[in-house]
Amino acid sequence: MFKVAVIGASGLLGRALVDELAQQAGWRVVATAFSRPGRNTVALDIRDARAVEQFVEREVPDALVIAAAERRPDVCEHNPALARALNVDAVRTLAAAAKRRGAWTLSISTDYVFDGAHPPYRHDSAPAPLNAYGHSKLEGERALAESTDLGCVLRLPLLYGPIVAWAESAVTSLVPAIAASASREGNAAAMDAWAIRYPTFTPDVAFAIRQMLERHARGDAIRGIVQWSGDEPMNKYEIAVRLAEALQLDAQLTPQHTPTDATPRPHNCHLASDRLAALGIGRRTPFDVAIRQVLAAFPWRGEAAA
């Protein structure tokens, strides 16, 4: 029996990962959640070091995947203590507890560890975060490296996938404004056309993580830093256009060609995925195919403009 603990299993990526791993014969998944614990999850506050240690001692996983984080840049900017507690200190506690039990730890990081000025970025490119979120995730990467020699960081860009609310992803969060702009009384919705993003489908990420876990199960664990990314560059305006097409809405959209976010964001943090690709790891579902799967599974009509 190969046991995997998924920390933050109620989130956008965590749910996709649990769904992927649950299909593996001979594997057992222990899922944890904090804000949305469910019937098949263990309630765990990763800021509670003692609770984390007791969880790892009790479950004795072979591998631990940290998908929990404070990922909202504006929240990190205004509450750096919370960002540090979740993105740095908790990673250190989890990785140290896993090391004591000989478990491999995979920690999820972000393309925001880079400033976006000189893409593409390799796994060994020099980080230069622009905001508190990027700084906290970079510190979390270092905390993992300092806490275990049996660990790996997986950097990811903008994620989207099956949702329980529009706001779960910066991709689907655009839908209410798109729908409102298409209504009879609607005004044009302004959409950022400056920052270049690489939307990445969470089931594809879960597939890649499962492949990484399989290598660990065979005694060939990946260590250090790896990256995975979708390969279709687009700004939020272009994402919105494709969402409107998928939803068959005649949306009124206006591109904004200068940054408008209060918290600084990088221009283009394209992550090179060559290290995982060289190992035969990963897959990419075309955006137009994947987003239609997401929208088909979520009852949007009548609610999107609410």
Side-chain angles (χ1 to χ4, degrees), residues 172-183 186-191 249 251-253 304-306:
T172 52
S173 69
L174 304 178
V175 170
I178 293 169
S181 79
S183 68
N187 297 316
M191 295 287 171
L249 291 174
Q252 302 177 65
L253 305 172

Side-chain angles (χ1 to χ4, degrees), residues 2 4 17 21 27 62-65 104 106 206 208-218 222:
F2 183 70
V4 182
L17 182 56
L21 301 185
W27 287 31
D62 298 291
L64 189 148
V65 181
W104 180 68
L106 178 65
I209 292 174
R210 190 253 295 168
Q211 291 179 301
M212 296 174 71
L213 287 163
E214 287 174 339
R215 290 186 70 95
H216 170 52
R218 297 195 303 265
I222 301 170

Side-chain angles (χ1 to χ4, degrees), residues 39-59:
R39 188 178 59 184
N40 297 317
T41 57
V42 176
L44 180 66
D45 183 351
I46 59 174
R47 296 169 296 182
D48 184 338
R50 184 60 190 145
V52 166
E53 290 162 2
Q54 290 173 339
F55 168 78
V56 175
E57 289 170 9
R58 181 178 70 250
E59 297 295 342

Side-chain angles (χ1 to χ4, degrees), residues 108-121:
I108 304 302
S109 190
T110 175
D111 57 346
Y112 273 32
V113 299
F114 299 112
D115 62 12
H118 303 287
Y121 292 95

Side-chain angles (χ1 to χ4, degrees), residues 63 91 129 168 212 219 225 244:
V91 172
E168 272 203 301
M212 296 174 71
I225 296 172

Side-chain angles (χ1 to χ4, degrees), residues 158-288:
L158 170 65
L159 297 180
Y160 71 101
I163 53 172
V164 296
W166 293 123
E168 272 203 301
S169 165
V171 170
T172 52
S173 69
L174 304 178
V175 170
I178 293 169
S181 79
S183 68
R184 188 171 301 171
E185 301 82 17
N187 297 316
M191 295 287 171
D192 177 72
W194 176 78
I196 299 171
R197 312 299 296 274
Y198 289 79
T200 302
F201 193 38
T202 51
D204 289 348
V205 176
F207 180 85
I209 292 174
R210 190 253 295 168
Q211 291 179 301
M212 296 174 71
L213 287 163
E214 287 174 339
R215 290 186 70 95
H216 170 52
R218 297 195 303 265
D220 189 20
I222 301 170
R223 304 172 196 235
I225 296 172
V226 295
Q227 303 178 153
W228 188 253
S229 173
D231 58 0
E232 298 174 78
M234 58 188 89
N235 54 48
K236 281 191 177 181
Y237 171 77
E238 292 166 332
I239 292 172
V241 168
R242 292 166 80 161
L243 280 166
E245 291 172 353
L247 292 166
Q248 298 182 314
L249 291 174
D250 185 17
Q252 302 177 65
L253 305 172
T254 303
Q256 292 182 310
H257 296 286
T258 55
T260 58
D261 291 303
T263 301
R265 264 102 164 149
H267 175 58
N268 182 353
C269 286
H270 185 205
L271 298 174
S273 307
D274 49 326
R275 190 176 174 209
L276 286 181
L279 297 172
I281 290 175
R283 78 176 183 208
R284 294 184 176 96
T285 303
F287 179 81
D288 290 335

Side-chain angles (χ1 to χ4, degrees), residues 101-161:
R101 288 294 183 174
W104 180 68
T105 301
L106 178 65
S107 183
I108 304 302
S109 190
T110 175
D111 57 346
Y112 273 32
V113 299
F114 299 112
D115 62 12
H118 303 287
Y121 292 95
R122 290 172 39 86
H123 64 278
D124 54 359
S125 297
L130 293 180
N131 56 37
Y133 170 60
H135 278 287
S136 71
K137 293 300 284 185
L138 179 58
E139 287 186 62
E141 293 184 5
R142 291 168 176 164
L144 180 80
E146 293 164 1
S147 303
T148 182
D149 55 359
L150 188 57
C152 182
V153 167
L154 172 59
R155 291 180 182 144
L156 300 170
L158 170 65
L159 297 180
Y160 71 101

